[in-house]
Amino acid sequence: MRQLKDSLYEQLARIGKAFSSSRRLQLLELLAQGEKTVETLAQESGIDVRLASAHLQTLRNACLVQARRDGKYVFYRLAGEDVAGLIVSLRRVAQGHLLELKKALERIVGNPEKLTAYRRDEFMEMAKNGELVVIDVRPRHEYEAGHLPFARSMPVEEIVDRLSELPKDREIVAYCRGPFCLLSDDAVALLEKRGYRVSKISDGVAEWHAAGLPLEKKVCRQGKKNESTDNFQP
């Protein structure tokens, strides 16, 4: 019986070991936004392709991600929405117990006073009624993979060229990848300088889903999508 119990905990430890790298946690957060190639993940996480591939293989061995090949590219995605929920839970526990993380967040998160005061249910109702305008400032492909209801895609690098699409008589609310992402802070700064009434939410799609709230998806890809290849070696 002891041997069986040890075996059970050893299987559980596989997940813990996969989560033990800060780089792998960053990759999982990026994959929570949608499917990405190895090259894109390497670029967005600031590491080289070889190292990104090695980390992704570790995550795949722990059954946290899946891979598929499309031509010369390898695409990765989370193995399930519950993986994104696990990331959110880990971050909440860490924020609740690690003083160092709280201090780091205070340094990295600009303009905390710009966080919207609305509850999630209020926020959704106001967006539905058009009382505020929600903009998703992540890259467009992340928006298409999944976004908050009633949000419009407006990547942060496009905002200045698309100001005419934003009304000045209503509040603008920006969101990005979650509490560790600064894209929404950049959006707030850009719009505030131009006279818009703007705030942000710290939620990303993973936090929204973990709270049991709906998401919308608009996946547009050209060509045939291959099935997941469980025995694929990148």
Side-chain angles (χ1 to χ4, degrees):
M1 183 62 70
R2 167 52 61 184
Q3 186 176 5
L4 175 60
K5 190 171 183 179
D6 289 345
S7 176
L8 293 174
Y9 278 106
E10 182 60 33
Q11 292 302 311
L12 186 60
R14 291 174 60 191
I15 303 298
K17 290 175 182 177
F19 270 63
S20 65
S21 163
S22 61
R23 289 296 189 185
R24 290 197 286 272
L25 290 175
Q26 290 181 56
L27 292 172
L28 287 171
E29 184 175 71
L30 288 169
L31 287 172
Q33 316 306 313
E35 187 180 62
K36 295 175 184 284
T37 65
V38 177
E39 290 77 11
T40 297
L41 289 164
Q43 180 182 13
E44 293 182 348
S45 61
I47 59 179
D48 63 56
V49 173
R50 186 185 296 272
L51 182 57
S53 183
H55 281 309
L56 289 164
Q57 184 62 29
T58 298
L59 292 170
R60 186 175 166 278
N61 289 340
C63 299
L64 294 173
V65 302
Q66 296 174 343
R68 68 177 181 90
R69 182 183 290 279
D70 189 350
K72 66 178 182 178
Y73 294 103
V74 178
F75 289 81
Y76 278 88
R77 65 181 181 272
L78 295 184
E81 293 178 338
D82 54 348
V83 178
L86 183 57
I87 300 168
V88 174
S89 296
L90 176 65
R91 186 166 55 229
R92 287 175 178 166
V93 171
Q95 288 180 231
H97 295 273
L98 297 177
L99 180 60
E100 295 87 352
L101 178 59
K102 292 179 181 178
K103 290 182 177 179
L105 278 173
E106 290 173 359
R107 291 195 302 270
I108 195 172
V109 177
N111 300 320
E113 71 279 2
K114 292 301 178 182
L115 285 171
T116 183
Y118 305 124
R119 299 193 311 270
R120 286 169 172 151
D121 56 344
E122 291 178 321
F123 173 82
M124 182 178 292
E125 188 65 24
M126 293 177 73
K128 179 180 179 180
N129 295 335
E131 298 174 54
L132 52 80
V133 175
V134 183
I135 58 173
D136 183 325
V137 301
R138 300 174 300 160
R140 189 175 303 277
H141 66 273
E142 294 184 4
Y143 170 87
E144 292 177 348
H147 56 270
L148 273 59
F150 316 109
R152 64 179 69 177
S153 177
M154 189 168 286
V156 67
E157 66 272 13
E158 297 180 10
I159 290 177
V160 173
D161 294 330
R162 296 174 58 187
L163 290 175
S164 61
E165 301 176 28
L166 298 175
K168 283 198 170 182
D169 60 347
R170 281 175 286 169
E171 182 177 357
I172 311 297
V173 180
Y175 78 92
C176 52
R177 292 168 175 159
F180 289 5
C181 179
L182 298 179
L183 293 175
S184 58
D185 289 285
D186 294 339
V188 167
L190 282 171
L191 291 171
E192 201 168 41
K193 286 181 181 178
R194 288 159 177 82
Y196 287 87
R197 187 159 52 96
V198 58
S199 61
K200 65 177 184 177
I201 58 172
S202 61
D203 282 346
V205 293
E207 289 75 22
W208 200 258
H209 185 268
L213 296 169
L215 295 171
E216 294 179 353
K217 294 185 178 181
K218 184 182 178 183
V219 180
C220 300
R221 294 195 186 95
Q222 294 182 345
K224 183 179 178 182
K225 178 177 177 179
N226 297 334
E227 296 297 325
S228 172
T229 52
D230 289 340
N231 59 352
F232 173 70
Q233 294 293 329

